[in-house]
Amino acid sequence: MAISRLFIANRGEIAVRIIRAAQKLGIATVQGYSEADQDMLAVKLADEAVCLGSAQSKDSYLSIPNVMEAVRSSQADAVHPGYGFLSESPEFVRQVEAAGVTFVGPSAATIERMGDKVEARKAAEAAGVPVVPGSKGRIETVDDAAKVAAEVGYPVMVKAAAGGGGRGIRVADTEEELRKLAPQAQQEAEAAFGDGGLYLERAIRAPRHIEVQILGDGREVIHCYERECSLQRRRQKVWEEAGAICLDKKTCEALCASAVALAKDVNYRGAGTLEYLYDEVSNEFFFIEMNTRIQVEHPVSEMITGVDLVQEMIRVCSGEKLSITQDQVKRDGHSIEVRINAEDPHMQFMPWPGKLTAMSLPEEDGVRFDHFLYEGYQIPPYYDSLLGKAIVHAPTRAEAISKLKRVLTGIKLDGLKTTIPLHLALADDPAVQAGAFHTQWLEPWLAAGNLKPIQGDAA
Amino acid sequence: MADIVSPLPGVFYHRPSPDEATFKSNGDAVSVGDTIGLVEAMKTFIEIKSEISGTFDSYVASDGAPVSPAETLAKLDD
């Protein structure tokens, strides 16, 4: 192993996860932390810890000068960025590499390319990966709109070419409707942006969010199958699964092969995820974006394949070849992860950064908790609300759901309010049990009052 | 005199955004449900609403200061 001293430029549960992976590889760890995080579990577990600055992320975890200074002073020979913060900052990667330190992730150029929506779409098309069909460029007239719509297929969405923010967006199911709606969209675009140019693409109603986990060493790329993350609230995933029960075997194989093709095309190094929208009605999937880092929900892929993604990404970024080939990646059973957030689901998910007075987590086979909690820990209010994840693995999805219920019921986190009641209600819901949901499902479900207050919990 | 306290730990703000005026100033009328400030916790801004009516006296916690649950944020004359 070319890496001997790994700097962790992150916090919370993922910092703990990275330290554990490094320890298994015999690598010494240096944990960066903010002044508000000096008591966090990762600081206690790491061999050394260096303060990055004050509590606000911009002065610590997001400050490239501060992180670089800590990396240099600690004499680390590699940096793991985790997720969020600087994990997808090409500028950070350039500075890490300029300091002669290994970045555990892809090159700055790859991050830049895949982080740009237009460039990523081009790269996908070049690799033969389906993208949401749409107009090649601006559309100026209603006749042009009708022509393109006939090619991409209805329903279609027209929107202002000039701007975002949902202004001027219309969805049409037929040409007749499009001919009525396109002029309205043009007028609205003209009024909002002074530019009546339109963009048109296929509208995917009620899409499912499917993604593929890949690993690359700069030459070879393998996949660790797909995940489904359609249960979302405010575009945040709350419940994730591997695999995706909505996909038939053939579609699943085509999906995973497309992810490998794209990652291979960009000589991908490290762990990455390609995100897709899946249209159940037409049985089509469309690439939307690539995340060039480890993801929160990576454990479900680890549970069904037995691959340690974090260890593997450290290995390949140190210059080693992938330690496994595609035919060695076997899938087994079904896995579900739920995000345990410090939020009160009965009070509009108000953040609840409390003090953990007593904790107990059930232990059994096929159950894993990734977290950064310990008894007496005061959750700092400055960062996101993720406390940890409960992950279960079972032979079938139905068994995984029962196991999840049993495990969630056995968790004791005194002094905190968490999203566990939400996950228990979801586990009991017939639609969730049937796997009949999509990305627009959870919010209306919540708005309809499906999450009932628990008796005796009259807060 | 009545206190408005923080329901949660976080960072207290007097203004909706840095270049806007404070939610309330000395002498302003306060009705039940009026927002008097924001507490930012875990990347979320929670509006702090008055549960009583009265006249705004002053902010107690300073703008941008960390606050604890039940800490006094502002005072009203009722």
Side-chain angles (χ1 to χ4, degrees):
Chain A
M1 174 66 61
I3 293 172
S4 61
R5 232 171 127 70
L6 182 66
F7 188 94
I8 295 112
N10 212 297
R11 62 179 304 282
E13 65 90 20
I14 196 65
V16 173
R17 172 74 186 89
I18 296 163
I19 290 170
R20 297 236 154 93
Q23 285 170 343
K24 283 185 187 148
L25 292 167
I27 298 172
T29 50
V30 183
Q31 176 63 50
Y33 65 94
S34 76
E35 282 165 13
D37 270 343
Q38 53 192 358
D39 293 332
M40 74 174 169
L41 186 59
V43 169
K44 297 176 191 291
L45 295 175
D47 297 304
E48 287 168 43
V50 184
C51 186
L52 297 173
S54 56
Q56 305 276 351
S57 302
K58 66 173 174 44
D59 302 320
S60 49
Y61 301 105
L62 283 172
S63 164
I64 296 179
N66 291 16
V67 175
M68 286 310 302
E69 177 53 33
V71 169
R72 274 190 217 101
S73 73
S74 70
Q75 298 185 301
D77 55 9
V79 173
H80 198 305
Y83 50 65
F85 296 127
L86 296 173
S87 62
E88 290 176 287
S89 161
E91 178 53 27
F92 179 56
V93 179
R94 284 194 192 98
Q95 293 204 22
V96 168
E97 288 177 349
V101 174
T102 300
F103 179 75
V104 180
S107 67
T110 300
I111 293 175
E112 212 150 46
R113 186 170 173 199
M114 300 316 285
D116 178 311
K117 292 225 171 210
V118 177
E119 284 301 311
R121 188 181 160 103
K122 278 189 202 158
E125 286 180 307
V129 177
V131 294
V132 180
S135 52
K136 293 277 178 278
R138 291 164 54 95
I139 288 176
E140 306 291 351
T141 69
V142 175
D143 281 341
D144 282 350
K147 207 174 127 207
V148 177
E151 285 162 22
V152 305
Y154 287 91
V156 294
M157 178 171 78
V158 280
K159 54 186 176 183
R167 302 295 293 275
I169 291 185
R170 296 283 188 289
V171 176
D173 283 303
T174 60
E175 182 174 338
E176 191 190 352
E177 223 179 331
L178 177 67
R179 286 189 178 275
K180 202 165 69 197
L181 295 176
Q184 295 175 11
Q186 269 184 316
Q187 276 171 18
E188 211 171 296
E190 178 70 43
F193 309 108
D195 175 355
L198 296 178
Y199 176 80
L200 181 149
E201 67 180 22
R202 172 96 64 85
I204 301 158
R205 287 197 173 121
R208 297 179 78 128
H209 176 110
I210 309 283
E211 55 189 39
V212 179
Q213 175 69 55
I214 59 104
L215 277 168
D217 61 14
R219 292 170 299 272
E220 287 305 312
V221 174
I222 59 172
H223 68 80
C224 291
Y225 296 99
E226 82 289 355
R227 297 188 284 260
E228 166 151 26
C229 320
S230 296
L231 291 175
Q232 302 183 3
R233 180 180 167 269
R234 296 190 173 171
R235 293 176 173 272
Q236 293 290 310
K237 299 163 185 167
V238 305
W239 162 308
E240 299 114 337
E241 307 190 24
I245 48 151
C246 55
L247 298 181
D248 60 53
K249 194 158 183 278
K250 203 176 137 212
T251 308
C252 183
E253 277 169 10
L255 172 84
C256 293
S258 82
V260 169
L262 175 50
K264 230 174 186 166
D265 243 29
V266 299
N267 300 314
Y268 197 80
R269 181 188 66 212
T273 296
L274 289 94
E275 297 193 328
Y276 297 80
L277 292 179
Y278 174 65
D279 185 349
E280 249 184 316
V281 180
S282 66
N283 190 28
E284 285 175 287
F285 57 83
F286 305 105
F287 169 80
I288 44 171
E289 64 178 32
M290 179 168 191
N291 294 323
T292 53
R293 51 170 167 82
I294 194 73
Q295 280 188 268
V296 175
E297 60 272 25
H298 76 275
V300 289
S301 302
E302 297 185 323
M303 293 296 250
I304 64 159
T305 61
V307 175
D308 188 313
L309 293 166
V310 180
Q311 281 191 45
E312 196 65 19
M313 73 190 288
I314 295 172
R315 277 200 209 99
V316 293
C317 293
S318 81
E320 290 182 16
K321 286 184 178 171
L322 282 167
S323 71
I324 35 171
T325 57
Q326 188 65 64
D327 55 4
Q328 290 172 318
V329 184
K330 305 268 190 244
R331 71 191 294 164
D332 170 42
H334 194 88
S335 180
I336 301 174
E337 168 186 289
V338 295
R339 298 193 188 193
I340 299 174
N341 292 342
E343 295 166 9
D344 184 353
H346 300 301
M347 287 283 284
Q348 294 88 46
F349 293 86
M350 183 158 102
W352 195 262
K355 184 170 184 171
L356 180 59
T357 50
M359 167 167 88
S360 105
L361 301 173
E363 282 177 37
E364 61 176 288
D365 277 353
V367 174
R368 166 174 163 188
F369 292 97
D370 280 20
H371 68 88
F372 67 120
L373 302 173
Y374 58 87
E375 286 184 0
Y377 182 54
Q378 168 67 53
I379 316 296
Y382 304 100
Y383 311 104
D384 71 40
S385 60
L386 183 69
L387 296 173
K389 295 125 43 172
I391 306 117
V392 297
H393 182 221
T396 65
R397 183 170 184 271
E399 287 165 287
I401 292 175
S402 346
K403 195 170 197 171
L404 179 69
K405 272 179 68 175
R406 190 169 69 240
V407 162
L408 290 175
T409 312
I411 295 177
K412 186 171 102 155
L413 295 172
D414 291 352
L416 303 182
K417 289 190 183 192
T418 76
T419 47
I420 289 175
L422 167 68
H423 300 307
L424 282 169
L426 287 172
D428 269 337
D429 189 88
V432 173
Q433 287 170 356
F437 46 66
H438 49 78
T439 56
Q440 310 304 311
W441 183 87
L442 180 55
E443 290 189 22
W445 182 88
L446 284 166
N450 282 292
L451 180 61
K452 308 240 175 9
I454 303 153
Q455 283 194 341
D457 187 38
Chain B
M1 201 70 106
D3 290 349
I4 296 176
V5 301
S6 182
L8 75 168
V11 178
F12 184 53
Y13 295 103
H14 297 182
R15 305 159 193 275
S17 73
D19 28 345
E20 285 178 77
T22 57
F23 284 100
K24 294 287 176 187
S25 309
N26 180 269
D28 283 357
V30 177
S31 310
V32 173
D34 279 6
T35 300
I36 63 103
L38 301 171
V39 171
E40 182 188 11
M42 305 187 133
K43 297 181 172 179
T44 306
F45 288 90
I46 310 292
E47 290 188 354
I48 304 302
K49 293 183 172 155
S50 182
E51 288 170 4
I52 48 168
S53 57
T55 306
F56 194 79
D57 179 72
S58 61
Y59 287 107
V60 176
S62 40
D63 195 22
V67 292
S68 314
E71 186 172 330
T72 301
L73 302 175
K75 283 190 182 295
L76 297 192
D77 286 317
D78 42 10

